[in-house]
Amino acid sequence: MADLIQLSIQDEIAVITLNNPPVNALSPGMAEGIAQAIHAANKEPSTRAIVLIGAGQTFIAGADIREFEKIVSGERPRLDLLPSLQVIEDSGKPVVAAIHGTALGGGLETALCGHYRVLAANAQVGQPEVKLGLIPGAGGTQRLPRLAGVAKALEMCVWGEPVKAAEAVALGVGDRVIEGDLLTGAIAFAHEIASRPVRKTRERNEKLQASPGLFDAAREQARKKGRGLIAPEAAIDAIEASITLPFEEGCRREAELFNKCLFSSQSKALIHAFFGERTVAKIPGITKATRTFEIHRAAIVGAGTMGGGIAMAYVNAGIPVLLKEASQEALDRGMNTIRNNYANTVAKGRLASTIAEQRLALLTPQLTYAGFEQADIIIEAVFESMSVKKQVFRELDGIAKPDCVLASNTSSLDIDEIAAAANRSEMVIGNHFFSPANVMRLLEVVRGKATAREVIATSMLLAKRLGKVAVLAANCRGFIGNRMIAPYLREAHFLVEEGASVEQVNQALYDFGMAMGPLAVDDLTGLDVSFAIRKEFEQLEKPGVRKPLVPDLLYQQGRLGQKTGRGWSKYDASRKPSPSEETAALIERTAAEAGIKRRALSSEEIVERCIYALVNEGARILEEGIALRAVDIDIIYLNGYGFPAWRGGPMFYADSVGLTQVAARLEEFRQTHGEDLWPRAPLLEHLTSHGQTFSSFDRTNEV
Ligand code: 3HC
Ligand code: NAI
């Protein structure tokens, strides 16, 4: 049993305490230890019942995810928690699982083997395995339907969202919510049920019914909502087995499906993303002891698309915001958009109107800097123009208190140049939100040369409060995300000029798994926006290097994308796209005039040109130290650019294709299209020649 599990006797109840910090994951030895403790408790004549409880912050957050890679590599045997957990269910004395924090995955499966479950009021239970590309693998797909009913079990296992304590009790997954001390309540509950006969979950078949069409509908939804993912459908198959097969056979089916998922590239990628999200928070030189500035009040300059969304993100986290605009008209427009956003969410039943009102009440629209002197952070979200931004930072320097964090939401401009406009570069940082800023999870935190580490630490911590995943980038044009997206979009533009149709390019990348095709993204952002960015950086372009021709022409013709109903595609009133003959003709004409030889292009080449353009730039970014680790780049692409999570991000994808193969293809592109467009990435060449991967490259020790 070792130190992981402690058995004590309190008031005639055996208390088994799980102690495997930080989250009591079912690491090797844990389930066996619980089984041994159950046997021991049953032999103890002075006890009437058993309480199973977690030490620390939580019950059990699941199987130990770190073990999965070892299982796949053959270093460890396949996971088989079932026999140990069944000892709980077979206990002669009733077992009460006492849940606080979370009972997730194998944690809930452990609790389901108990005869009763009591929950702290703020506890949550769920089967989130699907988010790791897996399905429950310790009987969850067989026991949960028996308690929650088939439809609810499907929802929980297919989408992975947890349910709160009160709902768990309403569903029959929990027996009671305990107010006050959980252990005291659980012991009292154990006395109440001690003399009742034990009820084994696996023998409770009364809820095992499915309405006609339930599984077909679930499969259809899984294919739509979980496009490309294999785990949701595997979860459906396993739950279907709970009603078509006896329990033991259902468990065998579950194990088969679990292993199929575990040995797939998808779960590898999704587990990479899970740990990646936690890794990006680790920054050399910044520890828990690093001082951070307390953020109680925020102020934002600019209430346009981004300023409005950022304001919502702040007030949603309970931080009051002063929102300044340049004109009454722009301010009214900005505030109307925010109010409409909240009204829509309320109308959809996703937010109580009282909460929406409370959030709006935290927002103060204004035309002056009044009150900015009290702000703990000021976020600039004005036009993407260096001169406008510098002017704002000069003004802020005269107003902000000395320890106020000054953040710019610039998507590509030089943070050091912006910072120089304020006489306190150490307080200036990039906080690059993604549109819509109240929804998108990514925050790219950009450190300038002089940015103080306390300011970086503050941004990383604040991001968590705002519900964001923050990734640190160093300063360069476009930072990590937009610097990489530039060659990706360029290739999409070249491909249509070389003979692919707009639809073919969009479809190929969509089929690869991207949330949208690249030209659809262009149309959504607006060709005026990309035109303005090209103008801002025009003087940096190397003369004589091929540039896409059609985007400027579309802009000049007012084909700005969705906002004008026409761009790369045509859009109807509901913004549904259809092929544009005019754009197709414009592309053909332009290519002919420029002497570009058009040819048939395969989907494979389209994907390789676009995705490898990301990878090549990513390798250069990594080598230059703009990103700390390859996984930082992956997390940016998964959370900000619609890269399919089940491919793990562009760098992980390149690793899984094999860097030798990627490098060879890049060399072909370089030979065909020139080194200016496909510059060498020495890091890639180094890794290839040493048989290494991007994931193995970690420069955090050197920084
Ligand atoms: N296995 C191993 N490590 C885990 C873990 C797990 N199941 N869950 C969390 N951790 C680690 C994290 O990696 C992190 O480590 P670090 O400090 O070294 O970075 C540490 O525990 C704390 O985690 P968080 O930073 O995420 O802490 P939070 O308090 O924000 O969140 C949590 C806690 C809600 C439990 C969250 O960690 C979580 O969602 N964990 C994963 C839960 C999950 O997916 N469970 C299913 C696992 S698969 C399974 O059970 C298969 C079974 O059916 C057989
Ligand atoms: P926008 O044009 O919608 O909004 C900018 C607003 O700033 C306008 O309403 C303007 O009136 C206001 N403004 C200008 N000068 C001002 C001043 N001195 N005081 C107060 N308000 C002032 O632009 P958007 O899209 O919101 O972009 C803002 C910034 O966010 C830019 O730097 C942009 O690059 C960046 N960004 C934009 C993204 C997007 O998808 N739109 C994504 C990420 C970053």
Side-chain angles (χ1 to χ4, degrees), residues 301 304-306 324-325 382-384 389 409 411 432-433 435:
V301 191
T305 310
M306 293 310 289
K324 175 195 180 288
E325 250 299 341
V382 302
F383 306 122
E384 186 74 341
K389 293 207 187 274
N409 182 48
S411 48
H432 179 203
F433 287 82
S435 181

Side-chain angles (χ1 to χ4, degrees), residues 38 40-50 88 90-95 115 198:
I38 294 278
N42 272 287
K43 282 193 199 126
E44 180 53 61
S46 63
T47 60
R48 306 180 64 214
I50 302 166
I88 305 174
D90 289 339
S91 164
K93 292 182 183 173
V95 179
H115 307 107
V198 293

Side-chain angles (χ1 to χ4, degrees), residues 16-46:
I16 300 174
T17 307
L18 316 173
N19 194 1
N20 186 22
V23 292
N24 291 321
L26 294 175
S27 312
M30 278 283 283
E32 295 81 352
I34 296 171
Q36 282 173 28
I38 294 278
H39 284 307
N42 272 287
K43 282 193 199 126
E44 180 53 61
S46 63

Side-chain angles (χ1 to χ4, degrees), residues 20-27 57-58 60-68 79-81 85 101-109 124 126-132 134-140 254 258 271 274-275 277-279 281-282 288 464:
N20 186 22
V23 292
N24 291 321
L26 294 175
S27 312
Q57 301 297 312
T58 190
I60 301 172
D64 187 338
I65 302 169
R66 287 166 306 189
E67 292 296 311
F68 291 148
L79 196 70
D80 190 10
L81 298 170
L85 297 190
T102 52
L104 298 176
L108 178 55
E109 290 169 305
Q124 296 195 9
Q127 299 285 174
E129 290 89 341
V130 72
K131 295 184 180 179
L132 302 172
L134 299 170
I135 66 164
E254 180 193 80
F258 174 83
I271 289 172
F274 173 84
F275 285 119
E277 272 193 21
R278 284 145 187 91
T279 303
K282 295 174 180 134
K288 285 208 171 92
K464 225 175 172 187

Side-chain angles (χ1 to χ4, degrees), residues 510-582:
Y510 181 78
D511 290 345
F512 174 80
M514 299 298 289
M516 291 172 90
L519 304 170
V521 171
D522 239 3
D523 276 348
L524 177 68
T525 320
L527 280 111
D528 49 337
V529 174
S530 41
F531 180 81
I533 294 172
R534 281 197 296 284
K535 285 283 138 204
E536 188 72 32
F537 290 109
E538 207 170 25
Q539 72 283 7
L540 299 175
E541 300 299 345
K542 191 169 166 191
V545 177
R546 180 183 170 196
K547 280 195 291 193
L549 303 168
V550 177
D552 280 7
L553 298 175
L554 287 173
Y555 168 76
Q556 282 155 16
Q557 295 183 5
R559 297 169 182 275
L560 305 183
Q562 288 197 14
K563 64 178 87 165
T564 54
R566 41 187 218 151
W568 290 104
S569 301
K570 277 194 302 207
Y571 295 88
D572 64 14
S574 66
R575 302 206 160 190
K576 188 169 170 281
S578 57
S580 161
E581 299 79 23
E582 290 175 4

Side-chain angles (χ1 to χ4, degrees), residues 63 76 85 100 112 139 199-200 234 333 360 387 483 564 573 594 633 682 692:
R76 285 230 204 276
L85 297 190
H100 70 304
L112 294 176
R199 307 169 304 169
K200 293 181 184 171
R333 201 172 40 235
L360 277 165
S387 56
R483 176 167 153 185
T564 54
I633 297 176
Q692 292 173 338

